[in-house]
Amino acid sequence: GYVLWRTAVFMRDNYTCQKCNQRGGKLEADHIKPFALFPELRLAIDNGRTLCKACHKQTETYGRRVELWRIAN
């Protein structure tokens, strides 16, 4: 499930952060539409993007910010 999704996202994005273009290092697979709010999209490759840890932390849905995102959207 999740591990295959994560690997597929990384492979599609050539193991490169989609914001800063860092290749390799500490990469994370980010759910564009939040994991908690869109269970039907959890394993959809198109709902994922590769981000380095620093860029992932800056997203509007990182961690607990997902609640604010839900209210705003």
Side-chain angles (χ1 to χ4, degrees):
Y2 177 78
V3 174
L4 290 174
W5 173 83
R6 181 178 181 265
T7 301
V9 170
F10 286 166
M11 289 177 67
R12 183 203 60 209
D13 294 341
N14 199 26
Y15 294 87
T16 303
C17 177
Q18 299 301 290
K19 286 196 174 242
C20 74
N21 294 317
Q22 171 187 311
R23 188 159 196 280
K26 296 197 182 232
L27 299 175
E28 300 181 349
D30 174 46
H31 285 87
I32 298 164
K33 290 190 177 180
F35 182 93
L37 303 179
F38 295 89
E40 70 281 7
L41 297 177
R42 287 180 180 170
L43 299 179
I45 305 300
D46 290 346
N47 189 42
R49 62 184 168 185
T50 301
L51 297 176
C52 68
K53 191 168 185 84
C55 286
H56 193 194
K57 285 183 176 181
Q58 294 174 15
T59 64
E60 61 184 6
T61 58
Y62 185 81
R64 293 188 166 256
R65 282 181 250 164
V66 70
E67 290 302 317
L68 296 174
W69 185 91
R70 183 170 63 103
I71 292 166
N73 291 287

